[in-house]
Amino acid sequence: MFLDMNGETLERLHAVIRAHPQWQWETDRNWRFTKVAEPLLQLLGRERESVLGQPVYAFMQAAEAVRAARFLHARPGAPFACVISRHVHADGSTLALESDAVPLRDEAGHWQGYRGISQGVVDVDLAQSESVFRMLAVYDNAPSALSLIGRDGRYLTANAAYASLYGVSPEDLVGRKVDAFMHGAGERLRRNFKQLDAGEQVPAREIALGDKFYQVLANPVHNLMGQVVAITTALMDITDRKQAEQKLEEANRKLQHYAKNDHLTGLPNRREVDEVLAAEVHRAMRADHPLSVLMIDVDVFKKYNDSYGHLRGDECVRAVAAELKKTVHRHDDLVGRYGGDEFVAILPGTDAIGALKVAGAIVHAIRALNIPHAQSQYGKVTLSIGAATLACVPYAQDVQEQCDALLQTADRALYAAKLSGRNAAHGMSAAVPRRDLVS
């Protein structure tokens, strides 16, 4: 993993490399060997002449060589530590080496190559080597998406499950910035490293990739000096759980909706109308603003149901509700289904004259729908509306009493509209002690 180090920390890495001359090697700027210690040559089973001048990835299988080359060229001149790579022995067997390196610079400070050490991860006997590579095979073929990310925000390795999330091969990820595949990941990684450096844990988080959901688990990788040099990530597929949660949330939203809204029309139901009316009465009393209520009823609706059937009756109620919603359209206005073929509209800030204008517009709009009604004297579906207005009420008055007075007055006005021949709007005043109700 590439390290961002300086001062005492970098000097400690230099000291570790100087302390093991038997495993030392040096390269030029093109990663070609210029010096290799004899014990390291013996570990590789190679002659010095066959190694010097060759790039460090010359003795790897093709896929591993591509991965190593991408890693090495990601940040030329930066120190690295605990890098594990797989090499091909002269006899064809495979061995794993762990490498640490520091940059070589000339007197002017220009980067000239690397000095490092490489040691076998395990003894090179067949049984242990097979054990190591069985473990690597498990990693490569694990169903969970796994990756290793260096402090510079570049992939050090990834298994097939992880690479498949982005439609690439594991080799294509190595050396590339995580930001190239996940927007904003670079800044998040910097925060994560800061947390891990402080000894804190990185909280699990959830992400969406395509139509899948994953829980991301991040854990630190330390070098022998105890420094956090990389983050290993595991992406756990939680799509089934998230879909179940979404279905539950949707069910809860529907329950909340139906607790406040009428299932047939989608308008607020009686309970919601009563709650909103109480809130608006309290607001009108406190602000000394007028408040009007319309009681709306479909004329001779029982005869409509008897003639056309309840299914057509439901369609009629839905059509009336939709038109009411269009006509009563101010932001603070509310129209709801109060029961059966009866509706209530609440008009904050509307005086008696304004209420009758709105009522008249509603009567005209429903008549213009031209819904046939053979049992009506008008030959079509019509409405009757009663209007009542609350004005100049002392703040000390009881809210519920005011609500009841408004609804009762609107109901009497509705009855008067029906007596006048239906298909009309009517307003009435009511003598309520310590209240002003005007039509």
Side-chain angles (χ1 to χ4, degrees):
M1 305 83 176
F2 286 115
L3 303 175
D4 294 314
M5 58 172 62
N6 48 48
E8 181 181 349
T9 304
L10 182 57
E11 181 53 39
R12 288 173 64 186
L13 184 57
H14 275 281
V16 169
I17 292 172
R18 287 195 299 267
H20 297 86
Q22 71 275 25
W23 302 114
Q24 279 187 15
W25 48 263
E26 292 183 6
T27 71
D28 60 16
R29 291 171 54 90
N30 296 313
W31 298 98
R32 293 177 301 205
F33 284 115
T34 58
K35 177 182 176 182
V36 184
E38 185 62 32
L40 184 55
L41 289 170
Q42 294 175 5
L43 186 60
L44 291 169
R46 304 282 177 176
E47 295 294 332
R48 189 178 305 277
E49 292 74 16
S50 68
V51 174
L52 295 180
Q54 295 294 323
V56 296
Y57 38 81
F59 308 104
M60 301 177 184
Q61 292 181 348
E64 182 74 352
V66 171
R67 185 184 75 86
R70 183 169 289 144
F71 171 80
L72 294 171
H73 288 87
R75 282 182 62 183
F80 59 85
C82 304
V83 173
I84 296 178
S85 53
R86 287 170 283 186
H87 297 256
V88 179
H89 190 273
D91 64 9
S93 62
T94 307
L95 70 154
L97 296 181
E98 180 179 332
S99 301
D100 309 293
V102 292
L104 293 174
R105 301 188 183 279
D106 60 20
E107 293 180 357
H110 299 132
W111 174 60
Q112 297 299 312
Y114 273 94
R115 174 182 293 127
I117 55 173
S118 296
Q119 302 178 67
V121 175
V122 293
D123 293 335
V124 196
D125 67 80
L126 184 60
Q128 292 187 51
S129 295
E130 288 182 352
S131 176
V132 169
F133 293 110
R134 278 199 298 269
M135 181 177 66
L136 292 172
V138 169
Y139 179 89
D140 289 340
N141 295 288
S144 298
L146 308 173
S147 72
L148 187 64
I149 303 168
R151 293 195 72 106
D152 59 353
R154 296 178 187 273
Y155 288 109
L156 300 174
T157 188
N159 69 355
Y162 188 98
S164 68
L165 299 179
Y166 301 104
V168 298
S169 68
E171 292 76 17
D172 290 333
L173 284 175
V174 175
R176 299 181 66 178
K177 286 277 191 178
V178 180
D179 254 338
F181 298 91
M182 191 181 302
H183 180 70
E187 179 59 33
R188 187 178 300 109
L189 277 170
R190 285 188 284 273
R191 291 197 304 268
N192 292 164
F193 275 113
K194 189 174 181 179
Q195 289 173 298
L196 295 172
D197 288 340
E200 301 172 4
Q201 291 185 336
V202 176
R205 62 188 183 89
E206 296 178 0
I207 63 171
L209 291 174
D211 58 352
K212 295 280 189 177
F213 294 91
Y214 297 89
Q215 183 181 57
V216 182
L217 306 175
N219 290 287
V221 176
H222 298 88
N223 62 12
L224 295 176
M225 295 179 283
Q227 298 167 316
V228 178
V229 294
I231 288 178
T232 179
T233 66
L235 275 63
M236 315 299 292
D237 191 335
I238 56 170
T239 303
D240 290 344
R241 191 194 82 193
K242 289 295 292 184
Q243 289 176 344
E245 290 175 355
Q246 289 174 345
K247 288 179 181 178
L248 181 60
E249 289 174 2
E250 180 61 25
N252 287 333
R253 280 195 294 269
K254 287 181 179 179
L255 286 175
Q256 292 174 0
H257 175 81
Y258 289 130
K260 293 184 175 183
N261 294 273
D262 173 58
H263 73 282
L264 179 63
T265 64
L267 295 178
N269 59 20
R270 182 170 187 149
R271 177 181 176 182
E272 180 69 3
V273 169
D274 286 340
E275 289 182 0
V276 171
L277 179 60
E280 291 297 343
V281 166
H282 183 269
R283 189 156 69 102
M285 292 166 61
R286 184 171 56 186
D288 195 24
H289 290 159
L291 172 66
S292 295
V293 167
L294 306 180
M295 190 73 74
I296 306 165
D297 189 72
V298 180
D299 294 327
V300 289
F301 186 69
K302 184 178 183 304
K303 290 184 178 180
Y304 185 94
N305 265 339
D306 291 343
S307 297
Y308 297 98
H310 289 283
L311 290 179
R312 289 280 296 278
D314 287 348
E315 291 176 5
C316 175
V317 169
R318 279 195 290 267
V320 169
E323 197 62 29
L324 289 175
K325 192 172 182 180
K326 290 181 185 177
T327 309
V328 183
H329 53 72
R330 292 189 315 172
H331 180 267
D332 291 332
D333 292 345
L334 178 139
V335 61
R337 188 183 184 196
Y338 217 55
D341 59 328
E342 192 172 60
F343 302 85
V344 168
I346 303 172
L347 311 174
T350 303
D351 59 16
I353 295 175
L356 284 174
K357 286 182 178 178
V358 174
I362 293 172
V363 169
H364 176 76
I366 299 303
R367 189 168 57 234
L369 291 177
N370 287 316
I371 302 174
H373 187 351
Q375 301 301 313
S376 168
Q377 65 192 89
Y378 300 101
K380 64 180 70 175
V381 170
T382 58
L383 298 181
S384 294
I385 301 177
T389 300
L390 177 68
C392 303
V393 180
Y395 182 65
Q397 293 297 296
D398 181 73
V399 169
Q400 190 55 52
E401 287 183 11
Q402 300 299 325
C403 291
D404 293 343
L406 266 173
L407 291 172
Q408 290 168 9
T409 302
D411 192 52
R412 287 196 296 272
L414 171 63
Y415 184 69
K418 287 186 177 293
L419 287 179
S420 70
R422 300 186 173 87
N423 189 30
H426 189 79
M428 290 183 64
S429 62
V432 181
R434 302 173 66 184
R435 301 169 180 82
D436 290 318
L437 280 166
V438 297
S439 63

